[in-house]
């Protein structure tokens, strides 16, 4: 029983190697390298700016922020930038398909990586279906066969238009990443033009009318600082989508340069557009008089521009179409990455030779999303989409801390190279024993041995100190994570007695500060310089920035609501059973030996020079 438990724990903690060119060549599954910075920005902006901004402006201004809505978008943008910095470093160091699943598998372990990948599958499937269901209500005149119909016997409203759009996007994605990114770029540019029209035309009206929205009795902060921060927590979800850029890492021409630029530029464009639109609309209409459903259209209608409603509706549809492409694009690549690692059947890892995209995974993704969009009103499940994203953001920040302070110092060696590993061990043992020494060389040998003993002692002292540093780093990272969970849950669970909440808040805060203090005090690991692909973006302000990222995302996770967590919990439990009965036993790391990085490079070098292929 103990051996089985130990084996299960080792399976959960085993970590894979950063995909090098050698590993990819051995795998045989190659994606086309077609994407540049411009296409990455189009994917990031298109996936992020959905139709929600056309509604959020009114809802958040009325209920939370008032004229301070612009600051709410700015604070939320800064919070999203914390995750973007972490993604940028990991994407440039580990430029392979799989995004957060791939990073957590390398830095944390197989068990956490499986849960992240499984949660992202749910996120992208429901996200794509929800976006598709949101398009048809914006289209007034649809043919009968595409309009919504109610099935009286089953009390279900089917949406053929949504299913058709999902299948259309799926067919486009199967054509190739170059073609699909071009179409998404065109749709995104058109949507940005609509938002620029709102900004320019609205500013003209504002200067003509004197910006009446900023002259309300309540001032700039009618709900106080707490209202502005509550608004930030709401609009934060409008920034979700830039992580789609990281999922295309393997298809980028120059990932070390282009991925950080693509992620950063996309987030900056989104934040700028959000803030400018909110500045204008909040200034045109007093926040308490805004229409919560159509704030932008109604703002123009109040000033006699009724025709602008059609333009704004067009922008909303374009935004939804672009977001639909951004929702379906990453999932096939995550399925492919999980199948490459053996955690899912190899069917999902097939790459079409002509289009160089995972066509089979894309088709399965499209069919599942189309069925959900056709039969189910998934708006009630929309909260589940946020769980996968926020979990991914949190684990990516944890991975940055691990990479900087305790990066993997051993890599998995395939079973086919175990013979080379044993030969290397035997060779090292022979070198330690050395050849027999005759009596004439005993004096010289004793001098050499004394020097060697001194060097060995110094090396052992250094390795002991390094081992202590790594243990302190691991304990500190664990202390930060536990402290964040305790602090955020105790602060959010208002049903607990006040004194109990205070006690746990203080306890969690002390754990968090203690872990952060130790991480600031100790040195970062020297191995971080050679980890993965060097020469890319380096996340600044470590450990403070990733710790803040963990804190923000965990707080948002805790406050998603019990109903959302119950539904997500059912999905995650299903994933645990899939992993136990399939993924754990079929993992590509099942029969590997872990060796130090330097020794692995020697073994790979000797095996390649002798013509031996893994």
């Amino acid at each position: 029983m103990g051996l089985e438990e130990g084996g299960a724990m080792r399976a959960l903690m085993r970590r894979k190697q950063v995909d090098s060119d050698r590993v990819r060549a051995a795998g045989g599954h190659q994606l086309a390298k077609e994407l540049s910075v411009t296409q990455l920005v189009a994917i990031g902006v298109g996936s992020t700016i959905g139709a929600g901004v056309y509604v959020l402006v009114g809802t958040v201004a009325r209920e939370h922020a008032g004229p301070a809505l612009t600051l709410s978008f700015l604070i939320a943008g800064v919070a999203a930038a914390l995750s973007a910095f972490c993604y940028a470093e990991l994407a440039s160091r580990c430029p392979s398909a799989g995004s957060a699943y791939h990073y957590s598998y390398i830095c944390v372990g197989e068990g956490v990586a499986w849960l992240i990948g499984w949660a992202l599958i749910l996120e992208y499937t429901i996200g794509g279906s929800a976006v598709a269901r949101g398009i048809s209500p914006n289209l007034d005149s649809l043919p009968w066969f595409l309009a919504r119909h109610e099935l009286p016997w089953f009390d279900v409203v089917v949406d053929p238009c949504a299913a058709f759009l999902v299948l259309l996007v799926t067919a486009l994605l199967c054509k190739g990443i170059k073609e699909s990114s071009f179409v998404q770029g065109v749709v995104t540019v058109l949507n940005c033009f609509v938002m620029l029209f709102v900004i320019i035309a609205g500013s003209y009206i504002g200067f003509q009318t004197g910006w009446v929205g900023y002259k309300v009795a309540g001032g700039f902060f009618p709900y106080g600082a707490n209202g502005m921060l509550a608004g930030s927590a709401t609009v934060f979800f409008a920034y979700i989508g830039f992580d789609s850029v990281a999922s295309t890492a393997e298809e980028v021409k120059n990932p070390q340069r282009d991925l950080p630029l693509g992620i950063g530029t996309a987030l900056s464009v989104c934040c700028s557009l959000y803030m400018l639109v909110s500045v204008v609309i909040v200034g045109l209409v007093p926040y308490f008089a805004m229409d919560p459903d159509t704030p932008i259209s109604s703002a123009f209608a109040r000033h006699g521009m009724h025709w602008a409603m059609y333009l704004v509706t067009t922008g909303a549809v374009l935004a939804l179409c672009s977001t639909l492409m951004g929702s379906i694009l990453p999932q096939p690549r995550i399925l492919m990455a999980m199948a490459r690692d053996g955690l899912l059947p190899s069917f999902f890892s097939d790459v079409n030779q002509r289009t160089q995209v995972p066509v089979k995974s894309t088709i399965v993704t499209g069919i599942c999303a189309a069925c959900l969009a056709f039969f189910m009103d998934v708006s009630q499940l929309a909260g589940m989409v946020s769980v996968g994203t926020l979990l991914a953001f949190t684990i990516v920040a944890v991975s940055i801390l691990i990479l900087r302070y305790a990066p993997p110092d051993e890599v998995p060696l395939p079973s086919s190279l175990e013979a080379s590993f044993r030969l290397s061990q035997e060779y090292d043992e022979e070198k330690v024993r050395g050849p027999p020494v005759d009596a004439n060389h005993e004096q010289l040998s004793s001098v050499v041995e004394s020097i060697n003993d001194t060097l060995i002692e110094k090396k052992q002292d250094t390795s002991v100190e390094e081992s202590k540093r790594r243990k302190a780093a691991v304990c500190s990272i664990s202390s930060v994570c536990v402290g964040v969970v305790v602090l955020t849950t105790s602060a959010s669970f208002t049903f607990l007695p006040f004194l109990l909440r205070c006690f746990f808040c203080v306890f969690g805060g002390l754990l968090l500060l203690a872990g952060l203090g130790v991480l600031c005090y100790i040195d970062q690991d020297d191995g971080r310089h050679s980890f993965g692909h060097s020469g890319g973006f380096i996340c600044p302000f470590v450990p403070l920035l990733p710790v803040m990222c963990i804190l923000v995302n965990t707080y948002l996770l805790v406050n998603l609501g019990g109903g959302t967590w119950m539904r997500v919990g059912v999905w995650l439990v299903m994933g645990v059973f899939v992993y136990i009965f399939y993924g754990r036993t079929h993992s590509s790391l099942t029969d590997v030996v872990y060796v130090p990085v330097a020794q692995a490079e020697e073994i790979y070098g000797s095996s390649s020079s002798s013509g031996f292929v893994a």
Side-chain angles (χ1 to χ4, degrees), residues 180-362:
S180 61
S181 62
F182 173 77
V183 174
Q184 186 167 18
V186 171
V187 175
T188 301
V189 168
L190 292 175
N191 180 33
C192 289
F193 277 138
V194 173
M195 297 185 76
L196 287 174
F197 164 80
V198 171
I199 295 166
I200 295 171
S203 298
Y204 175 78
I205 296 172
F207 284 113
Q208 293 290 320
T209 59
W211 299 103
V212 294
Y214 291 111
K215 298 176 181 179
V216 293
F220 194 72
F221 298 96
Y223 297 101
N226 289 336
M228 181 188 66
L229 293 175
S232 299
T234 303
V235 300
F236 175 84
F237 297 100
Y239 288 98
I240 288 177
F242 69 84
D243 52 311
S244 296
V245 175
S247 68
T248 63
E250 199 170 316
E251 295 156 286
V252 180
K253 294 177 183 177
N254 187 351
Q256 277 70 44
R257 183 197 67 186
D258 294 349
L259 280 170
L261 279 175
I263 292 172
T265 306
L267 190 61
S268 301
V269 169
C270 294
C271 186
S272 301
L273 289 173
Y274 287 159
M275 291 178 65
L276 290 172
V277 168
S278 62
V279 163
V280 170
I281 299 304
V282 170
L284 293 181
V285 182
Y287 69 93
F288 50 80
M290 279 190 176
D291 188 326
D293 297 321
T294 57
I296 298 179
S297 301
S298 61
F300 283 105
R302 284 170 67 99
H303 294 87
M305 296 177 63
H306 295 277
W307 55 269
M309 177 184 68
Y310 301 104
L311 193 60
V312 172
T313 303
T314 302
V317 172
L318 289 171
L320 284 168
C321 291
S322 182
T323 306
L324 177 60
M325 284 187 273
S327 297
I328 298 178
L329 172 68
Q331 181 165 328
R333 284 145 184 82
I334 291 174
L335 291 173
M336 182 190 70
M338 296 176 76
R340 280 176 173 176
D341 298 327
L343 303 183
L344 289 176
S346 58
F347 169 87
F348 294 104
S349 64
D350 287 346
V351 175
N352 186 276
Q353 292 184 355
R354 185 175 62 84
T355 62
Q356 292 183 281
V357 294
V359 171
K360 293 180 180 179
S361 296
T362 304

Side-chain angles (χ1 to χ4, degrees), residues 579-591:
Y579 175 75
I580 291 173
F581 292 108
Y582 185 88
R584 184 173 63 90
T585 55
H586 290 78
S587 170
S588 59
L589 300 182
T590 302
D591 297 318

Side-chain angles (χ1 to χ4, degrees), residues 498-521:
F498 177 75
L499 290 178
L500 189 63
R501 286 179 62 200
C502 290
F503 170 77
F504 280 112
C505 281
V506 171
F507 178 68
L510 289 175
L511 282 177
L512 170 61
L513 292 175
L516 179 60
V518 173
L519 290 176
C520 291
Y521 176 75

Side-chain angles (χ1 to χ4, degrees), residues 85-104:
F85 279 123
C86 297
Y87 265 95
E89 174 167 349
L90 287 171
S92 60
R93 284 184 182 269
C94 315
S96 185
S99 186
Y101 157 79
H102 180 64
Y103 312 146
S104 56

Side-chain angles (χ1 to χ4, degrees), residues 448-467:
V448 172
E449 285 178 5
S450 63
I451 296 173
N452 286 340
D453 289 342
T454 305
L455 294 174
I456 290 171
E457 286 178 3
K458 289 182 178 179
K459 189 174 181 180
Q460 286 176 343
D461 291 340
T462 304
S463 63
V464 169
E465 291 177 4
E466 175 62 15
S467 178

